[in-house]
Structure formats: C-alpha cells, structure tokens
Amino acid sequence: HVQLVESGGGLVQAGGSLRLSCEVSGVTQCVGWFRQAPGGEPEGVAAIRRGGTASYADSVKGRFTVSEDKAKNALYLQMDNLRPEDTAVYYCGAPSGGFCHYTSVVFGTRGQGTQVTVS
C-alpha cells in the first residue's frame, strides 16, 4: 500500500524556482508528478522509474527536474524558470499499472496535493 505526502508549494514570481518534495511510503517501482489547474484536467508532468530513467511533458522539459533520494524515501521536483501557466495543484503520483511514464502518473495513487502559484 503506497502513501504519498507532498510539501513545498507556494507563491513565486515568473522566472523563479520552487522545489516540491514527496514522502513515499510503501513499495512502488515508479513515482512522478502531475498537476491540475483550476477547471482543467490532470496533466502528467514527470515520472521516474526507481533507480532508472525519467520522462517529462514537453511543456516542462528543460525547466523541471525529477529526482529521488532512496535513503530518505523521497521524491523531488525542481521547478525552474516558472511561468504563470505552471500554476496548479501539484500531486505526487504512483501509477497503478506497470507503465512508467509521465502520462501514467495520473492513474493510481496520489497525495493530497500542494498549490503552486506563479504570478
């Protein structure tokens, strides 16, 4: 049974940076991030296979970096050069199936979410 708890959201000006953290408990081979803007659909952002490669949505590629710290059971999302369109609630996700990709993190276990607002 996987449990995910996010932290690190906040308000930042365009061009700024934030780092989100996710505490991961339980066994999962794939974790990642997705976001949901007001009135919008969930959008996969990034995913990483534990100890393996990462995938990113085109909208964040080159600006966001997903990483993990196995010793701390933690997942991170470093967000640089933030834009107003990045404003959303960000969720840590663990896909329920075996496909590890940024598009699959919206389907499965999720945390409670953390708000990111870019002005």
Side-chain angles (χ1 to χ4, degrees):
H1 178 63
V2 179
Q3 289 186 309
L4 307 165
V5 179
E6 304 93 337
S7 61
L11 172 64
V12 64
Q13 290 186 337
S17 298
L18 278 176
R19 189 176 84 151
L20 305 183
S21 300
C22 176
E23 181 181 339
V24 181
S25 50
V27 177
T28 178
Q29 293 304 308
C30 179
V31 288
W33 298 89
F34 67 96
R35 64 190 181 186
Q36 188 165 16
E41 294 293 319
E43 175 192 16
V45 172
I48 186 167
R49 182 173 293 280
R50 309 306 293 274
T53 56
S55 62
Y56 297 90
D58 287 346
S59 58
V60 306
K61 200 171 291 183
R63 299 187 298 121
F64 290 12
T65 303
V66 62
S67 62
E68 60 174 341
D69 185 331
K70 291 182 181 179
K72 296 181 179 179
N73 289 323
L75 179 73
Y76 305 102
L77 184 69
Q78 176 67 39
M79 305 186 293
D80 298 317
N81 192 20
L82 281 160
R83 304 167 179 168
E85 53 264 40
D86 295 318
T87 295
V89 177
Y90 282 71
Y91 297 89
C92 185
S96 56
F99 181 50
C100 188
H101 192 257
Y102 73 87
T103 56
S104 64
V105 292
V106 303
F107 306 110
T109 303
R110 65 171 62 181
Q112 83 285 356
T114 186
Q115 177 70 46
V116 171
T117 303
V118 185
S119 62

